[in-house]
Amino acid sequence: MKRVISLVALAAVLFAGPAFAADPVIGTWKLNVTKSKFIPGAALTAGTRVYTEADGLYTVEQKFTGADGKEMSSRTQFREGKETKQPPGGPYDTSAAKKLDANTWDFDLKKDGKTVNHVHRVVSADGKTLTSHSTNAQRGGLSGEETLVFDRQ
């Protein structure tokens, strides 16, 4: 009987391990407008990000509402340590992602091989806040430094 209980406990640990190892960014995040700092002239009034991951390929789907009431959406994919092609027509055509630790990633967003934006993204230790700082974010024909703060949903 002790052996059966030991095997069940070991199986529980082995199968639970991957769930605990999941990247803390996975899930739905809501933009905290009051804590965010926007590109001058390109404020947002609402937004969400949804992060998913499959076989090491991360996808982020974003929906934002500008101060003018217009909605914008985008879909970006990235893979740690590799350049990933992005949909045509956007402000960049590839992204290069680097995982610094369990909660922190850096991204170089490139257009025609040249880095046009650097993003530093951190999930708080408690997993409740996501902060994304861009050195040259681009939206609505404007560009500049921006810090977006999100709350986990």
Side-chain angles (χ1 to χ4, degrees):
M1 185 66 172
K2 286 183 181 180
R3 184 175 180 179
V4 172
I5 293 172
S6 295
L7 288 173
V8 170
L10 178 62
V13 169
L14 291 175
F15 288 108
F20 291 114
D23 193 304
V25 79
I26 302 303
T28 302
W29 299 86
K30 183 178 178 184
L31 182 67
N32 186 321
V33 174
T34 58
K35 291 183 179 179
S36 297
K37 295 181 183 177
F38 304 107
I39 300 168
L44 298 170
T45 60
T48 58
R49 278 188 180 176
V50 178
Y51 288 87
T52 57
E53 183 270 334
D55 297 323
L57 180 66
Y58 291 81
T59 302
V60 58
E61 300 209 29
Q62 303 184 105
K63 292 183 181 181
F64 293 113
T65 304
D68 59 3
K70 291 184 182 177
E71 292 187 2
M72 304 156 269
S73 63
S74 67
R75 182 176 188 261
T76 304
Q77 293 187 307
F78 59 93
R79 190 179 293 275
E80 203 270 323
K82 299 190 179 206
E83 281 199 13
T84 306
K85 290 189 182 226
Q86 301 303 314
Y92 50 91
D93 48 33
T94 61
S95 64
K98 182 179 181 183
K99 188 173 187 174
L100 303 178
D101 63 39
N103 293 17
T104 310
W105 288 70
D106 275 346
F107 303 88
D108 285 324
L109 309 178
K110 299 179 179 184
K111 184 75 169 181
D112 300 324
K114 180 183 175 192
T115 299
V116 294
N117 187 10
H118 177 79
V119 178
H120 181 75
R121 189 193 76 206
V122 179
V123 175
S124 63
D126 65 6
K128 294 180 180 180
T129 305
L130 166 69
T131 303
S132 178
H133 179 79
S134 298
T135 58
N136 192 31
Q138 299 180 21
R139 186 172 45 258
L142 299 171
S143 64
E145 195 165 327
E146 175 170 84
T147 301
L148 300 179
V149 179
F150 296 84
D151 299 317
R152 181 176 292 284
Q153 297 302 290

